[in-house]
Amino acid sequence: MPAIFALAPAKIILFGEHAVVYGRPAIAVPVTQVRAKAVITPNPLSPPGIVLIDAPNIGLNAQLENLPVSHPLRVVVACVLKTLRVITPPSLTIRITSTIPLASGLGSGTAVSVAIIRALSAYLGKPLPEPEVSELAYQVEKIYHGNPSGIDNSVITYAKPVFFIRNQPIQFIDVTHPFTLMIGDTGIKSPTSSVVEKVHKSWHTNPSVYESIFDKIGGITVEGKEAVQSGNSLILGQLLNRNHALLQELGVSSPELDHLVRIALEAGALGAKLSGGGQGGNMIALVEPTTASKIERILQDNGAVRTIITSIGKVGQPV
Ligand code: PMV
């Protein structure tokens, strides 16, 4: 049996994070410069059923059955085997590598799940179709994030810009006017689940205030979809700024995120906001391709520990 590999990109949320958990629309786009990779190779000398996990990025090299039952990698593999009704897989090694920064709103965990689900199902001779890959990744995410909206598994599985409303069919956005985004990392790790939980507590205490903020974010997302489709980058920039202000009102920004957002705007970005769960992780800025390198340098000089320039809608971008 030859080795089989699969890839999955990172993602960022353009509009609508947090509000999407409460049924409002959100827009997310894939980021193909960084990605997770799963490679499956046979271990012909070991008996069937032995699955080795080799994840050098997190210093893990172990037999699957020696990992805690709740370990995310063990959960993903178990979900795939159960779905495919494979009781004893042939002996194999799953090597996982990823260039996606962890816990920073870029979907690193989901990308690893998607890559494993694709590679393992193909290796076992039963490649899962995209909707099932996405659904399985969602099931895995539910175990760790409590109440995920489903946007991460959708955008990462399909590797296309999505307009997403919870429990509704995904709409893909055809980006005919490419635009350039700068992603700036505060370097502060912030698990999404705890920020989602914090918002939930605040919503519970004060539902009318939070529902009204979610409505405003939902409205911005709808306008954002039109701006993306028409290629109106001035409007798109303003909408990013308005979305950031509402995320501040939700209490999910942080001084470091606000700082990088301000620096990007002062350096000439058309708009900027935090992206993802918030309270750390990444911000994004809409930039002109001609000023991208200048703004990138300024962000790096002012505290961004990592930057990525990505073009959304560029034809032929590899996953
Ligand atoms: O995984 P992150 O940090 O990009 O956050 C996902 C977006 C949230 O709306 C905060 C959570 C969700 O499940 O939609």
Side-chain angles (χ1 to χ4, degrees):
M1 171 78 71
I4 282 192
F5 77 92
L7 302 168
K11 71 97 203 11
I12 49 117
I13 296 188
L14 206 54
F15 294 107
E17 50 274 269
H18 290 290
V20 69
V21 174
Y22 298 81
R24 276 48 165 210
I27 296 175
V29 296
V31 176
T32 50
Q33 282 84 351
V34 282
R35 58 200 188 177
K37 182 176 185 183
V39 184
I40 319 271
T41 48
N43 289 334
L45 300 180
S46 302
I50 303 287
V51 174
L52 299 176
I53 299 282
D54 181 22
N57 294 137
I58 53 168
L60 178 72
N61 189 301
Q63 206 168 311
L64 189 72
E65 64 180 14
N66 293 336
L67 296 179
V69 179
S70 61
H71 192 287
L73 296 175
R74 185 162 176 179
V75 171
V76 183
V77 174
C79 281
V80 174
L81 296 179
K82 189 170 167 213
T83 302
L84 300 179
R85 296 196 177 85
V86 173
I87 294 162
T88 310
S91 180
L92 51 88
T93 295
I94 306 177
R95 182 177 166 86
I96 302 135
T97 49
S98 174
T99 50
I100 307 173
L102 299 173
S104 56
L106 292 179
S108 58
T110 310
V112 165
S113 295
V114 167
I116 292 176
I117 294 165
R118 278 205 181 113
L120 186 56
S121 63
Y123 186 87
L124 296 171
K126 300 174 181 183
L128 287 167
E130 303 294 44
E132 285 189 45
V133 172
S134 184
E135 176 58 27
L136 261 191
Y138 180 63
Q139 295 307 329
V140 173
E141 230 181 286
K142 271 209 309 213
I143 299 171
Y144 299 99
H145 293 303
N147 189 18
S149 63
I151 192 167
D152 277 19
N153 51 286
S154 303
V155 65
I156 287 172
T157 300
Y158 292 97
K160 287 180 189 162
V162 297
F163 179 84
F164 179 89
I165 302 175
R166 195 168 191 167
N167 299 326
Q168 290 192 17
I170 312 162
Q171 298 175 41
F172 298 108
I173 305 179
D174 203 9
V175 183
T176 47
H177 307 273
F179 56 94
T180 305
L181 289 177
M182 172 80 55
I183 304 171
D185 193 344
T186 60
I188 297 167
K189 303 263 179 272
S190 174
T192 302
S193 52
S194 48
V195 192
V196 169
E197 177 63 27
K198 185 188 137 174
V199 172
H200 185 75
K201 281 196 183 127
S202 309
W203 170 81
H204 198 72
T205 318
N206 213 338
S208 59
V209 168
Y210 277 74
E211 285 293 323
S212 148
I213 299 174
F214 295 148
D215 280 342
K216 288 182 194 157
I217 293 176
I220 287 176
T221 303
V222 172
E223 286 184 59
K225 183 182 174 203
E226 283 160 20
V228 167
Q229 284 170 327
S230 63
N232 192 332
S233 44
L234 284 182
I235 299 281
L236 195 55
Q238 287 164 11
L239 292 168
L240 291 174
N241 294 341
R242 281 171 52 199
N243 195 163
H244 184 69
L246 290 163
L247 288 163
Q248 286 174 318
E249 277 187 51
L250 279 185
V252 300
S253 194
S254 70
E256 296 81 3
L257 283 164
D258 290 344
H259 171 69
L260 290 184
V261 164
R262 201 185 59 249
I263 293 290
L265 293 174
E266 284 170 6
L270 300 169
K273 67 182 271 290
L274 72 85
S275 180
Q279 299 212 317
N282 283 279
M283 50 72 71
I284 54 172
L286 178 67
V287 298
E288 304 281 13
T290 45
T291 55
S293 320
K294 183 194 96 182
I295 298 176
E296 179 171 47
R297 261 196 316 278
I298 294 174
L299 278 180
Q300 288 169 351
D301 289 346
N302 283 278
V305 299
R306 191 183 297 102
T307 48
I308 299 171
I309 300 174
T310 187
S311 178
I312 307 302
K314 208 168 137 195
V315 179
Q317 244 182 356
V319 173

